Amino acid sequence: MRLLFFTGFFILFTGLTYGQKTIEGRVSNGGDVLSNVQIANLSTGAETTSNQEGRYQIKAEPKEELQFIHSGMDTISIIVEDVTRILNIKMNHEVEELDEVTVAGKKRKTHQEKLLEYSQKKTMIRTAFGFLDKETASYSLRIADEDDFENAPNINSVIRGAFAGVNAQCDPMSGKLGVSMRSVQSINMPTGANFDVDGQLLTEVYCSWLWGNVKRMAFIPSLSAMAKYGEFGRGGIVVINTISGSFTPTEQDGGIYDHAKLRNNVYKQNALNNEVVVENAPQYLKEIKSSKSKNEAFEVYQKNAQKYRSSYHFALENYRYFFNEWNDESTADKILEENALAFKNNPVALKSLAYVYEAQGRYKKAHDTYKQIYILRPDYAQSFIDMAKSYRNLGEAKSATSLFARHAYLQEEGLLPKDTVDLSRIMKREVYNLFALDNGSLQIKSRKWTTRNQEYSTRLVFEWNDSEAEFDLQFVNPGNQYFNWKHTLAEMPERIRSEKELGYSMADFLMDDELPGTWKVNARYHGNKQLTPSYIKVTVYHNYGSKLQSKDVKVFRLGIKGVNQHLFDFNIPSRIAKSK
């Protein structure tokens, strides 16, 4: 363990000696190019402007921040990474949203400006749909802050005192917090309120979760709540902002509400199937997939090899084709050997290769590839996660535990940045699951780890090879309603900034058995600031958290921009299978 730590420590600081390089690209508004865009390196003070063709060049090192400013456009900030060479920027017109009306030409506050205002104004609270301010709300909105909770005997006494006409009680048996409105029509049978906690929609919360961790709380009455939350808000909504700011209901039996049911989002069956995706693929890919024999396919590969020698996408797709379609491991490996330079010292390319190896069950090759990425990116949280999960695939739970412990130690020592958005929750979930399922090999006697993961039926983990990749994930439930998770700079700038600063590119979703049946997952690719595809790995955990846990690994190429592409289906059973 000591040797392992000091080896990692040495790699960490030898790997951080980056060199300055030239970043170039073109700036547009999605259609026309933009000239005279001010581009500044906020770390060094270097500045330039885009020319008449919208093109620019500027010097920057990894982890430095470039800012793009143009009159009438939203300002864009991008953190440079080790592989960044080309940044094609799309700027959006500034707009100010006023209820359902969009007014062009007025300056809209950026998310960072709203966060700063929120931190200074106790009249604001953050919801799943953005910020609410009681000074501008169209209804009476009362907000209690942490000062109100500091000297209170319990949670429910604050709620009853702060919000007129609202009952609250912590159930002495279950510990659940019950909140309801008092009215003439429902004085004897009050309608229970639901909860919006740090943007997470919940049908129940526990008082123990919240005590000592409430920053602000508000109550939205039923009529106003239904206008914003739909049927979910029929009994009112309790909005809670925690002090930690990253509430996760994974340690109790609380229900996470299916966001797809918030609105009438009916899926129109508009996602492209795999056949249509292939028809729109690069010519070399269409040619090889239409081959009638393995020999014909190899001739197609050889014909295109010289032209695409520098493209790792070409090598990877040809490798996948011969391995998956013809079960020809030898030819597939030969293709990678012939195109090794396309992957060398390129963590984005290597990550896509590791994904494919893992999906094919070639865990040793995947592990060796993840190790190369770790050496190139020793300060990336994703490197620790990938190596730990890879050790777990090889049955080396102790080594996996050491990687997670090392990352936590480096954070505590200030050698790696700490999380403020989502990473810590994902890391904890990985660690808890490791201890719950591998505690025998780890010789952990305490049972506290086995209760950390609620036994959800399914967990979906999405990882992508290029941190600049922007895409929407669409989850379609068995009732044919959908929920979109938009991983774009415009929709979630604070999360993408956190991803860049901490070095991770993953997200996970826990699915309970409230809506059993077949779900669909689609994706809409928006690009990666280059004219290249991105790869996304999806790990589907079945019977998650139980001793019967199993997983499927799938890898998808996202190359067609602006269209909805079907990725896969998965089934949620009506009841979770449990081991005896």
Side-chain angles (χ1 to χ4, degrees):
M1 175 66 183
R2 182 180 296 272
L3 178 60
L4 185 65
F5 168 73
F6 281 110
T7 302
F9 191 83
F10 174 77
I11 291 174
L12 174 67
F13 286 100
T14 57
L16 285 175
T17 55
Y18 301 120
Q20 196 174 55
K21 56 189 175 181
T22 299
I23 310 298
E24 59 183 306
R26 191 176 72 162
V27 189
S28 70
N29 60 9
D32 299 327
V33 298
L34 294 176
S35 60
N36 296 319
V37 176
Q38 296 177 343
I39 302 132
N41 185 325
L42 299 184
S43 302
T44 65
E47 295 182 348
T48 188
T49 57
S50 59
N51 63 20
Q52 293 300 314
E53 297 177 347
R55 299 192 178 279
Y56 73 93
Q57 287 187 344
I58 193 168
K59 296 284 187 180
E61 293 183 7
K63 301 299 182 182
E64 293 181 346
E65 185 173 356
L66 299 182
Q67 188 176 76
F68 298 78
I69 301 175
H70 191 275
S71 177
M73 298 288 177
D74 282 333
T75 297
I76 293 178
S77 295
I78 303 290
I79 295 177
V80 174
E81 294 202 80
D82 50 0
V83 295
T84 305
R85 294 291 185 277
I86 298 174
L87 284 177
N88 293 319
I89 303 299
K90 176 186 173 183
M91 303 190 77
N92 297 316
H93 288 281
E94 285 182 340
V95 295
E96 182 176 353
E97 294 181 359
L98 181 61
D99 294 331
E100 300 299 322
V101 181
T102 300
V103 183
K106 294 183 179 180
K107 180 171 177 57
R108 181 181 63 183
K109 293 179 181 178
T110 66
H111 188 81
Q112 293 299 323
E113 288 174 333
K114 289 181 179 178
L115 281 176
L116 179 60
E117 188 176 11
Y118 167 80
S119 66
Q120 297 173 344
K121 289 183 64 176
K122 294 184 178 183
T123 61
M124 294 179 66
I125 194 162
R126 190 175 183 178
T127 76
F129 300 96
F131 293 95
L132 283 178
D133 191 332
K134 73 175 186 180
E135 294 178 354
T136 58
S138 59
Y139 49 89
S140 178
L141 182 68
R142 169 78 168 89
I143 298 178
D145 60 39
E146 54 190 310
D147 293 337
D148 297 313
F149 291 89
E150 186 174 359
N151 298 316
N154 49 48
I155 292 283
N156 44 303
S157 65
V158 177
I159 296 175
R160 289 195 298 265
F163 310 118
V166 176
N167 277 327
Q169 181 177 6
C170 290
D171 190 296
M173 299 297 293
S174 67
K176 293 179 183 179
L177 174 62
V179 180
S180 60
M181 297 177 62
R182 297 193 301 267
S183 66
V184 175
Q185 292 84 1
S186 60
I187 189 168
N188 295 319
M189 297 182 65
T191 302
N194 285 320
F195 303 87
D196 178 344
V197 187
D198 292 336
Q200 189 81 266
L201 301 185
L202 305 171
T203 56
E204 54 191 41
V205 300
Y206 291 74
C207 295
S208 60
W209 291 349
L210 303 175
W211 190 244
N213 193 31
V214 177
K215 181 179 180 67
R216 285 173 202 167
M217 180 184 291
F219 184 84
I220 304 177
S222 58
L223 292 179
S224 300
M226 288 183 69
K228 186 174 290 288
Y229 292 83
E231 189 66 23
F232 183 73
R234 175 172 291 276
I237 296 291
V238 182
V239 182
I240 302 171
N241 293 172
T242 65
I243 294 173
S244 62
S246 56
F247 177 79
T248 52
T250 59
E251 299 180 15
Q252 300 280 358
D253 296 329
I256 301 178
Y257 189 77
D258 178 15
H259 285 55
K261 296 190 293 186
L262 280 174
R263 304 176 182 83
N264 186 28
N265 293 339
V266 179
Y267 177 53
K268 304 297 185 182
Q269 306 293 332
N270 61 347
L272 302 184
N273 58 31
N274 186 61
E275 289 73 19
V276 178
V277 170
V278 171
E279 291 175 3
N280 290 272
Q283 187 62 31
Y284 71 78
L285 200 52
K286 290 191 287 187
E287 288 180 4
I288 201 165
K289 286 185 178 291
S290 63
S291 300
K292 299 297 187 293
S293 67
K294 185 169 68 172
N295 288 337
E296 180 184 345
F298 193 72
E299 290 176 0
V300 171
Y301 159 71
Q302 289 182 313
K303 181 190 75 172
N304 292 315
Q306 191 61 39
K307 180 180 179 181
Y308 296 99
R309 180 72 66 184
S310 61
S311 169
Y312 80 83
H313 314 96
F314 170 79
L316 186 62
E317 291 305 327
N318 279 273
Y319 165 81
R320 295 176 79 184
Y321 174 79
F322 282 97
F323 190 98
N324 297 337
E325 299 295 326
W326 297 104
N327 197 28
D328 188 343
E329 183 178 311
S330 176
T331 300
D333 287 342
K334 180 181 178 181
I335 288 173
L336 290 182
E337 291 173 6
E338 292 177 350
N339 295 273
L341 286 177
F343 295 88
K344 186 177 181 181
N345 295 330
N346 185 339
V348 172
L350 289 169
K351 190 176 291 189
S352 64
L353 178 58
Y355 290 170
V356 171
Y357 278 147
E358 195 173 342
Q360 294 170 340
R362 306 185 79 179
Y363 295 135
K364 183 61 171 66
K365 283 187 171 292
H367 186 76
D368 291 340
T369 308
Y370 281 128
K371 190 180 296 183
Q372 294 181 58
I373 300 169
Y374 179 86
I375 293 172
L376 292 170
R377 288 179 162 178
D379 56 332
Y380 276 53
Q382 193 70 49
S383 298
F384 288 84
I385 296 172
D386 290 341
M387 283 293 292
K389 292 169 68 175
S390 183
Y391 272 123
R392 199 173 179 186
N393 286 337
L394 297 176
E396 300 181 29
K398 290 183 179 179
S399 296
T401 305
S402 297
L403 262 296
F404 285 125
R406 184 193 309 169
H407 183 265
Y409 173 82
L410 293 173
Q411 281 190 323
E412 289 300 320
E413 292 297 311
L415 299 174
L416 290 177
K418 290 189 176 182
D419 176 41
T420 58
V421 180
D422 208 26
L423 176 64
S424 61
R425 178 183 58 78
I426 296 174
M427 294 278 275
K428 287 178 181 177
R429 192 166 286 156
E430 294 290 345
V431 172
Y432 294 158
N433 188 255
L434 171 66
F435 285 151
L437 272 64
D438 295 291
N439 57 358
S441 60
L442 294 170
Q443 297 180 338
I444 298 174
K445 296 180 181 180
S446 172
R447 294 184 58 83
K448 68 177 183 177
W449 301 109
T450 63
T451 61
R452 291 285 187 170
N453 273 327
Q454 178 180 344
E455 292 181 354
Y456 290 88
S457 62
T458 306
R459 180 190 180 207
L460 305 180
V461 180
F462 293 82
E463 301 170 65
W464 45 98
N465 71 321
D466 192 334
S467 62
E468 295 291 352
E470 296 189 66
F471 52 88
D472 301 343
L473 293 177
Q474 183 181 63
F475 302 88
V476 185
N477 67 26
N480 211 40
Q481 293 176 301
Y482 67 83
F483 164 66
N484 287 334
W485 186 78
K486 298 185 177 184
H487 183 263
T488 64
L489 192 59
E491 293 290 337
M492 47 176 60
E494 72 279 6
R495 189 187 201 277
I496 290 180
R497 183 179 185 86
S498 174
E499 291 173 1
K500 291 288 196 72
E501 291 175 340
L502 301 171
Y504 73 103
S505 50
M506 67 185 299
D508 71 335
F509 301 86
L510 290 174
M511 318 292 290
D512 60 23
D513 57 0
E514 181 184 352
L515 279 176
T518 300
W519 288 65
K520 297 180 182 295
V521 178
N522 306 319
R524 184 183 299 270
Y525 184 51
H526 300 294
N528 56 11
K529 299 182 178 61
Q530 303 179 61
L531 299 177
T532 59
S534 298
Y535 287 86
I536 189 166
K537 181 184 79 171
V538 186
T539 307
V540 183
Y541 291 92
H542 307 283
N543 299 320
Y544 182 68
S546 79
K547 292 297 183 181
L548 294 180
Q549 178 176 303
S550 62
K551 68 178 182 180
D552 297 322
V553 179
K554 311 170 189 293
V555 180
F556 301 96
R557 178 184 183 272
L558 301 182
I560 309 175
K561 294 171 62 174
V563 297
N564 210 21
Q565 172 183 339
H566 179 62
L567 299 185
F568 66 99
D569 296 342
F570 69 95
N571 185 68
I572 293 183
S574 56
R575 298 187 66 181
I576 303 171
K578 297 176 183 278
S579 58
K580 295 182 179 180

